[in-house]
Amino acid sequence: MLSLVDKLCERRSLSVDEYERLIAGRTPELAEELARRAVAERKRVWGTKVFVRGLIEVSSHCVNDCYYCGIRRSNKQAARYRLSPERILACAEEGYGLGFRTFVLQGGEDPWFSDERLCDIVARIRSAHPDCAVTLSMGERSRASYQALHDAGAERYLLRHETANPLHYRRLHPPEMSFERRMRCLEDLRDIGYAVGIGFMVGSPYQTPHDLAMDLKLVEEFGPQMCGIGPFVAHHATPFASQESGSLELTCYLLSIIRLISPGILLPATTALGSIHPQGREKGIMSGANVVMPNLSPVDVRKDYELYDGKICTGEEAAECRGCLAARMRSIGYEIVVDRGDPVDERRIQ
């Protein structure tokens, strides 16, 4: 196993079979070694900086029916809301005062957020805060839509691929959803010039070590600027309600591998990690992550953006949440910085 780790550190690349061996052969000692090397790489590129993204959850309406998601179309129990442009702008204004320099607008695939509406929101945020980056996570859209949003000022787009195995994708999604379309969207985003984020669930139903190895190979070959991974956590009103959650340990192990594949990648310690373990986000940072995403959404709607059960930070004010995270990062030797946290050119750090 250590020879595979050495090869990964040297080449930033393994075969799918080698990634699978590295996953299947996981031990606490190997995890510790991977984390040590991943942290060294992260510190070489980023130092001890941890970047914050102000997350604004704009809508719990969604036209999709993903089997794992609490805001899926078929969930009649879900509380639906959508933020007005004015409330979104107010969240960004509050976040700016708290030191956020990147805002992430995330929501279900809600047709109410037309190109015209969303472009106007993006342009207004950029006009009010020209030193900030706007990231969108609004699902699959047309290439023309992505282009219009980029022209309006959106620089980054997060679109998790969820799994790199088309067969596994079909077991997690209804027939009308397409792995090929998801990948085409990611190619469009990259071609247009976005900083692109992909990502996958760890421990999702039917997932095998081979599936995860394919995910790692996609990270290596696609070369995203960002990658969001987190443990699968079941929601009570979905077909996967009785499935076990993904593992904190395996998620952190994979974070370390991704850092070694791409030292300059922006890698969040996700809310889902913090939801399954009290120190989940700290453990993510100590495994090689360098981003946290406090919630800037209005407190009165946070509990309604329920992708999975047990989500944390549903009742904290934005200032309280940011202050808590800053203290948590300081306790493990890292510092939250007021910075856009732009992607770095890999060629500068090899």
Side-chain angles (χ1 to χ4, degrees):
M1 289 298 108
L2 280 177
S3 66
L4 285 180
V5 176
D6 290 340
K7 182 177 178 180
L8 177 60
C9 291
E10 179 184 350
R11 301 185 184 180
R12 312 294 181 201
S13 173
L14 295 176
S15 69
V16 172
D17 287 346
E18 287 171 328
Y19 282 128
E20 185 174 355
R21 284 173 52 205
L22 200 54
I23 293 164
R26 175 170 59 104
T27 65
E29 294 76 20
L30 192 59
E32 185 176 340
E33 178 63 16
L34 276 167
R36 184 187 68 79
R37 298 196 196 195
V39 166
E41 286 295 276
R42 193 266 320 282
K43 287 186 175 179
R44 180 172 67 86
V45 179
W46 301 103
T48 58
K49 294 178 180 177
V50 175
F51 301 103
V52 288
R53 312 306 196 201
L55 181 62
I56 306 173
E57 295 162 334
V58 301
S59 176
S60 66
H61 292 264
C62 191
V63 300
N64 291 329
D65 214 17
C66 305
Y67 300 150
Y68 48 82
C69 184
I71 63 170
R72 64 195 303 260
R73 182 183 70 237
S74 293
N75 182 10
K76 305 306 181 186
Q77 304 172 29
R80 307 293 181 180
Y81 75 91
R82 63 174 61 93
L83 299 183
S84 67
E86 288 68 31
R87 291 194 84 185
I88 294 170
L89 290 162
C91 290
E93 189 67 34
E94 179 185 12
Y96 190 84
L98 292 170
F100 293 87
R101 294 299 178 264
T102 295
F103 303 109
V104 181
L105 276 54
Q106 176 178 293
E109 290 192 20
D110 181 356
W112 188 88
F113 282 94
S114 63
D115 292 347
E116 181 180 6
R117 283 193 173 114
L118 201 48
C119 284
D120 179 63
I121 292 167
V122 170
R124 289 169 70 183
I125 293 174
R126 290 302 306 273
S127 176
H129 307 294
D131 56 331
C132 292
V134 176
T135 302
L136 298 177
S137 183
M138 303 291 288
E140 295 177 0
R141 302 174 78 96
S142 69
R143 185 184 179 107
S145 174
Y146 291 146
Q147 184 67 63
L149 292 165
H150 191 263
D151 293 344
E155 300 172 75
R156 306 169 185 167
Y157 205 101
L158 308 177
L159 183 63
R160 285 167 51 136
H161 65 280
E162 301 301 358
T163 173
N165 184 340
L167 297 176
H168 187 215
Y169 189 92
R170 288 203 290 271
R171 301 189 77 177
L172 301 178
H173 300 89
E176 66 269 18
M177 294 186 70
S178 161
F179 174 80
E180 291 73 24
R181 184 167 61 243
R182 181 63 57 100
M183 294 308 299
R184 186 168 63 248
C185 286
L186 288 170
E187 295 287 351
D188 287 343
L189 289 163
R190 183 168 62 182
D191 290 348
I192 288 167
Y194 282 93
V196 180
I198 64 174
F200 56 93
M201 291 180 288
V202 179
S204 59
Y206 315 115
Q207 189 179 67
T208 66
H210 184 74
D211 295 329
L212 288 171
M214 292 179 69
D215 287 316
L216 294 175
K217 195 65 179 177
L218 180 63
V219 172
E220 175 195 312
E221 293 182 340
F222 185 84
Q225 285 77 32
M226 303 165 281
C227 184
I229 74 168
F232 163 78
V233 184
H235 187 280
H236 64 275
T238 69
F240 294 151
S242 62
Q243 298 288 329
E244 291 186 9
S245 294
S247 155
L248 169 77
E249 289 75 20
L250 180 54
T251 304
C252 288
Y253 189 78
L254 295 169
L255 284 170
S256 297
I257 294 174
I258 293 170
R259 175 61 65 196
L260 294 175
I261 292 171
S262 180
I265 202 166
L266 291 161
L267 197 57
T270 61
T271 300
L273 263 182
S275 297
I276 67 167
H277 191 283
Q279 283 81 46
R281 285 174 296 187
E282 291 94 320
K283 289 180 180 293
I285 295 294
M286 292 187 291
S287 299
N290 65 332
V291 174
V292 289
M293 298 174 68
N295 202 328
L296 288 179
S297 307
V299 172
D300 64 304
V301 301
R302 287 189 197 173
K303 66 183 183 303
D304 298 332
Y305 196 77
E306 189 181 63
L307 306 185
Y308 51 84
D309 291 343
K311 179 182 170 189
I312 57 171
C313 296
T314 55
E316 296 177 337
E317 297 292 345
E320 179 185 350
C321 190
R322 188 196 185 284
C324 172
L325 269 178
R328 283 171 170 263
M329 295 302 107
R330 284 196 300 271
S331 74
I332 57 171
Y334 294 86
E335 58 171 333
I336 282 180
V337 294
V338 177
D339 193 308
R340 283 168 43 110
D342 288 313
V344 299
D345 186 344
E346 284 285 322
R347 292 169 297 185
R348 287 172 36 214
I349 57 174
Q350 294 302 323

